[in-house]
Amino acid sequence: MSRDYLDFDVAVTREGQGYAAHVLASPAGEASAPFTLPFAATDLAQFMIAVGPPRVSSRRLVPAEARVVDVKEYGRRLGDALLSGDVGRAFRESLTTATGQGRDLRLRLRLDAVPDLDPVPWEYLYDSRLGRFLTLSQETPIVRLLDSLERPPVVHVDAPLRVLVMISSPSDMPELAVDRERELLTATTGDLVKSGRLSVTVLEDATLTGLQRALLDDYHVFHFIGHGGFDQQAQEGVLVLEREDGTAHRVSGARLGTLLHDARTMQLAVLNACEGARTSGRDAFSGVGQALVRQGLPAVVAMQTEISDRAALVFSHEFYYFLTRGLGIDAAICEVRKAMAVSDEASEWGTAVLLRSGADQPFSFTTSATAANEQPESRLESLYDAAKGALLARAPATALPLLEQIAAEHPDYEDVTQLLERVRPETAPADDGPTPRPRRDPMTLTQPIPQPDTAPDTRPVGRPEPQPDPPPDRRGEDAPPPPDPHPRRRGHGFVRTLVGLVVLFGLFWLGATQVPKWFKGSTADVTSACGPAPAAASAPATTFVAGCATTTPAIDGDFADWDGVPTASIPHVIAQVGTPQPEFGGDWQVVWDSGALYLRVHVVDPDVRSVNVATPGAWFNGDGFSFEFGPDARSLDPAATTRRGRDVHVMVGLSRDAPTSGVASINPAGRGTFTTGTRHPEITVGRSDTLTGYDLEARVPWSALQLRKAPVRGSVFSMNVNLSDATSAPATWRLRTMKSTNAARTADTQGFPHGWQTITLADAAS
């Protein structure tokens, strides 16, 4: 079933201060044209955030329809730029020639000479004349072509296709739920394994030694799940394996390739680790995927952004399904993209990057022996059984994406709708459809956070930072229909119904102390944690909404109890001194109860600098976050200044003396501005460092925010949230970059609460 392709090879090179696209080989001959990247780095960063996974399990950043339009517009601009002039003419003529011969046209992109363009997601390239994305059709796949030191022969595979899976979770890295990852992968590929077309072996020893010994047996695919990133010091991509003692072992693509090279039947690596395809911007082979191809692996599929659980489920099943049906890897990736595009309104279908050397397919697969074992409903059965098993094992986080995927494909399947109602986070509106749960890799280097179109304020800042508009809803639009009272048409109805009753009983039995907080949240829980409901039933519209913490977050640097809490970005540059770090950025989460306000920030900052603990009134000059807070100021005159005894500026910073926590101080309002404050030890702080930055969480008692009594549900406050990045100059201690959720927040406007953003203390976040 492998497609017969003609190749359209395009190399992008640097020409003077710009770029040029050269058609090196095609049915229409050679051609050249100038190439200009049609967007700035900030536009690219904004796009990568939009097409990445939802930042919250129950919300998308942008409504589904708007996201698709944005993706199309981005892809159109990229396509118009690359396929312009003589290059565009050659492409159209080549496509006509291929069609006339009953063949397809494969666009092979070479970026060896311009590694700075490697992070551009070319997989979203849209052809205006064809009216479609090229990579969503087998007729026009896009492949990133790399030179290899050698070309191994094609491997003939008699079923099953043998996949070696390594799931790495070092003890000194942010914990990866190994059992959950294993369950999700085995559940989604269970029907392929049962049919005899696929064999999945999970390597128990996630060390280089364990991998070397495992490769003595014949495998065709190496599938890695774990932490991946880019080592700024070594300027190379790494995967994080484990040492013998369980700690992190950062392994470059070159070292990994040393082992995979001698595995003669190994033809493909799948890197489900964020940043697996990223390069340094100078060496096109510094990324893990590039290094593996250069050392002779015929093909690598690597993720260029983090990927959600729902997307991972679809990707894993469809990719191996189409490979074991005999499709070439180029066509198989196109089919996977299509499956991901139609399974959910998110735009993660372009996340996977296909890196290849040469034109030959890595596999020649025999399918006839397994065709008789195929059963149409076996995949849903596998997902359903795994979800029920996860619920019985008290693992609702594992069950959630499985149930959501079943509901997306077959909403009336068994009791899936009822189970989803009990498992889905409380923040999900009742009339919305199933949504992906994010796979968050704290080690991953994210794209730069987008900046506003206007030039940032470059004046020196003596006080804190600004804030952005709230992220729009990222949920899908497809609401699951009412549950079918009848069981599925095929299956063991009585047995499954009995199992379902046992599961539901077990869920009720678990009670409030054994289930994550997003699985709870009854009216009684909310009343107990956050007080009685307000007299007014409707809350005013505000910038942010903080949900009631029915289970108090532990301020311990673990952050697992923040899962399911909505996330908002901190994108706006409001102060800049000198050269900024392009990667610097982050996002934040917030909940509350009758005792305190709880905040968590996730920060990407490769150059971490602690605050000067001797000057607590100016901790915004060091790395950390801050926020302005006071009573609802929307009715104030725009010229009214900060209110003494009511408004505060809270700063939470990193400290060398507190490697697992942090320090907090407050500048109170006085004389129309914020006065220099002091350290506030009653604000407890948790901290965790990652390879790309850090995470902070804080419990801020209401008394520290100058409230004499706890606020009630429905209360509205004015608030901005800001991030600080300190300069790396060794002899100075000052702010380099400040970002805020509020684009209007500057050093000059900080003292005017009317312009601050607003937050409602509600029952559930939205």
Side-chain angles (χ1 to χ4, degrees):
M1 296 178 60
S2 181
R3 310 284 285 209
D4 189 9
Y5 287 111
L6 298 179
D7 287 322
F8 187 83
D9 292 353
V10 180
V12 181
T13 61
R14 189 173 298 280
E15 300 288 336
Q17 299 300 313
Y19 304 98
H22 304 280
V23 180
L24 304 180
S26 80
E30 299 180 356
S32 296
F35 171 75
T36 301
L37 191 65
F39 16 68
T42 53
D43 298 322
L44 176 62
Q46 187 172 19
F47 175 79
M48 294 304 293
I49 292 174
V51 301
R55 307 302 298 178
V56 186
S57 60
S58 59
R59 288 282 182 269
R60 299 194 194 286
L61 288 178
V62 183
E65 182 178 353
R67 287 164 57 85
V68 173
V69 171
D70 290 342
V71 172
K72 183 182 297 184
E73 173 60 19
Y74 174 95
R76 182 195 63 76
R77 291 163 62 188
L78 185 59
D80 290 349
L82 182 66
L83 303 178
S84 65
D86 289 343
V87 172
R89 174 194 55 76
F91 180 76
R92 293 188 292 275
E93 291 180 4
S94 297
L95 195 58
T96 300
T97 299
T99 302
Q101 297 179 12
R103 303 168 77 180
D104 300 315
L105 188 67
R106 176 172 51 194
L107 193 160
R108 302 198 302 178
L109 190 61
R110 301 197 63 127
L111 303 172
D112 309 54
V114 285
D116 53 310
L117 295 184
D118 192 80
V120 175
W122 301 93
E123 288 66 28
Y124 291 96
L125 193 147
Y126 185 91
D127 189 295
S128 300
R129 293 176 176 82
L130 295 177
R132 61 177 174 82
F133 295 98
L134 296 186
T135 55
L136 288 182
S137 172
Q138 292 188 38
E139 297 176 359
T140 51
I142 293 179
V143 175
R144 302 198 187 197
L145 187 64
L146 299 167
D147 285 330
S148 174
L149 300 179
E150 55 185 288
R151 301 277 176 83
V154 175
V155 171
H156 179 77
V157 179
D158 290 317
L161 182 72
R162 292 172 55 83
V163 180
L164 178 64
V165 179
M166 174 181 281
I167 306 176
S168 176
S169 181
S171 59
D172 56 346
M173 291 290 296
E175 184 179 2
L176 183 68
V178 174
D179 292 338
R180 177 169 173 268
E181 296 288 348
R182 182 202 309 261
E183 184 67 24
L184 292 177
L185 180 63
T186 56
T188 196
T189 57
D191 61 320
L192 302 178
V193 173
K194 186 176 180 180
S195 71
R197 286 161 44 182
L198 187 73
S199 170
V200 176
T201 301
V202 179
L203 182 59
E204 299 296 335
D205 182 4
T207 66
L208 275 179
T209 300
L211 177 60
Q212 180 180 5
R213 292 171 179 173
L215 291 176
L216 294 176
D217 297 325
D218 288 338
Y219 292 99
H220 307 114
V221 182
F222 173 64
H223 190 128
F224 178 84
I225 300 173
H227 298 292
F230 190 80
D231 188 326
Q232 292 286 349
Q233 183 174 0
Q235 285 293 289
E236 61 182 359
V238 296
L239 298 182
V240 184
L241 276 60
E242 300 175 13
R243 299 187 185 277
E244 297 296 335
D245 62 358
T247 58
H249 186 190
R250 293 162 180 80
V251 178
S252 67
R255 293 187 66 187
L256 186 62
T258 300
L259 296 183
L260 298 182
H261 173 272
D262 283 352
R264 296 300 182 183
T265 59
M266 184 69 70
Q267 295 288 89
L268 168 67
V270 177
L271 307 180
N272 197 352
C274 304
E275 301 296 305
R278 186 182 188 273
T279 69
S280 66
R282 291 194 292 270
D283 176 5
F285 297 109
S286 59
V288 176
Q290 289 88 338
L292 293 178
V293 172
R294 189 178 192 183
Q295 290 207 16
L297 202 63
V300 172
V301 175
M303 305 302 168
Q304 57 186 323
T305 65
E306 58 183 328
I307 184 171
S308 68
D309 283 340
R310 278 282 305 283
L313 285 174
V314 177
F315 174 86
S316 296
H317 182 271
E318 299 305 300
F319 183 56
Y320 292 123
Y321 173 83
F322 287 111
L323 281 182
T324 57
R325 287 293 299 269
L327 265 68
I329 192 168
D330 316 272
I333 282 290
C334 290
E335 290 300 316
V336 170
R337 297 191 196 284
K338 288 194 289 186
M340 295 174 71
V342 301
S343 71
D344 185 25
E345 285 77 7
S347 300
E348 295 181 77
W349 52 263
T351 296
V353 173
L354 176 58
L355 305 167
R356 292 211 46 198
S357 63
D360 293 333
Q361 295 299 326
F363 301 113
S364 172
F365 198 86
T366 300
T367 61
S368 57
T370 63
N373 294 328
E374 294 186 20
Q375 298 179 5
E377 287 199 350
S378 59
R379 176 168 182 260
L380 292 181
E381 289 182 3
S382 176
L383 296 178
Y384 182 83
D385 290 341
K388 283 295 189 71
L391 291 174
L392 285 172
R394 305 179 186 179
T398 301
L400 179 62
L402 297 169
L403 293 171
E404 287 178 331
Q405 188 58 36
I406 298 172
E409 297 180 25
H410 197 329
D412 61 350
Y413 192 89
E414 286 273 356
D415 54 350
V416 165
T417 302
Q418 296 96 315
L419 292 178
L420 270 174
E421 290 175 355
R422 292 170 171 81
V423 176
R424 184 174 287 141
E426 282 288 327
T427 52
D431 61 346
D432 277 357
T435 57
R437 181 173 179 80
R439 174 182 308 241
R440 187 173 183 82
D441 182 354
M443 174 190 165
T444 303
L445 278 175
T446 62
Q447 297 289 337
I449 303 296
Q451 302 176 7
D453 294 333
T454 57
D457 185 355
T458 58
R459 290 168 293 179
V461 176
R463 304 280 181 213
E465 327 86 79
Q467 289 182 267
D469 292 327
D473 194 331
R474 283 186 78 178
R475 282 193 59 100
E477 308 294 334
D478 53 329
D484 189 341
H486 304 289
R488 63 185 176 211
R489 295 158 186 78
R490 300 189 187 100
H492 312 291
F494 174 76
V495 174
R496 296 190 184 279
T497 301
L498 181 60
V499 172
L501 292 173
V502 172
V503 171
L504 294 181
F505 175 78
L507 291 176
F508 286 114
W509 174 80
L510 287 178
T513 61
Q514 312 227 11
V515 185
K517 63 175 178 291
W518 52 262
F519 190 66
K520 300 179 289 182
S522 67
T523 302
D525 292 331
V526 173
T527 301
S528 174
C530 299
S538 60
T542 58
T543 312
F544 306 112
V545 177
C548 174
T550 53
T551 298
T552 302
I555 307 302
D556 54 6
D558 184 350
F559 304 104
D561 45 8
W562 288 92
D563 288 349
V565 177
T567 305
S569 63
I570 309 177
H572 302 292
V573 174
I574 58 170
Q576 183 62 60
V577 179
T579 303
Q581 293 190 93
E583 297 92 350
F584 173 65
D587 50 46
W588 72 293
Q589 298 166 284
V590 59
V591 293
W592 73 288
D593 63 17
S594 296
L597 187 70
Y598 303 85
L599 301 97
R600 180 265 179 101
V601 296
H602 169 68
V603 183
V604 176
D605 184 355
D607 180 26
V608 175
R609 313 281 293 182
S610 66
V611 301
N612 184 344
V613 293
T615 58
W619 282 351
F620 55 83
N621 280 324
D623 287 351
F625 76 95
S626 64
F627 63 94
E628 289 82 29
F629 189 90
D632 186 2
R634 289 175 296 181
S635 62
L636 291 181
D637 186 288
T641 57
T642 52
R643 297 155 288 184
R644 186 172 184 177
R646 308 187 73 188
D647 296 322
V648 294
H649 173 225
V650 181
M651 295 161 288
V652 179
L654 305 183
S655 170
R656 297 186 185 92
D657 300 329
T660 60
S661 58
V663 291
S665 67
I666 289 181
N667 290 332
R671 297 183 180 275
T673 185
F674 287 114
T675 62
T676 300
T678 59
R679 183 168 179 172
H680 276 245
E682 74 274 21
I683 300 177
T684 53
V685 182
R687 170 184 174 183
S688 176
D689 291 347
T690 68
L691 287 185
T692 60
Y694 58 90
D695 286 79
L696 287 173
E697 59 183 349
R699 180 187 185 274
V700 186
W702 294 117
S703 58
L705 297 174
Q706 304 199 40
L707 271 67
R708 295 183 178 179
K709 60 181 181 179
V712 298
R713 291 154 62 187
S715 297
V716 175
F717 294 91
S718 291
M719 181 179 187
N720 301 319
V721 179
N722 320 289
L723 289 181
S724 296
D725 177 38
T727 182
S728 60
T732 60
W733 185 76
R734 66 180 184 183
L735 182 72
R736 169 167 46 191
T737 304
M738 183 172 284
K739 288 191 172 185
S740 177
T741 55
N742 188 345
R745 157 73 167 83
T746 67
D748 292 335
T749 63
Q750 181 197 12
F752 300 93
H754 176 80
W756 297 355
Q757 293 173 316
T758 49
I759 185 169
T760 299
L761 306 185
D763 294 359
S766 61

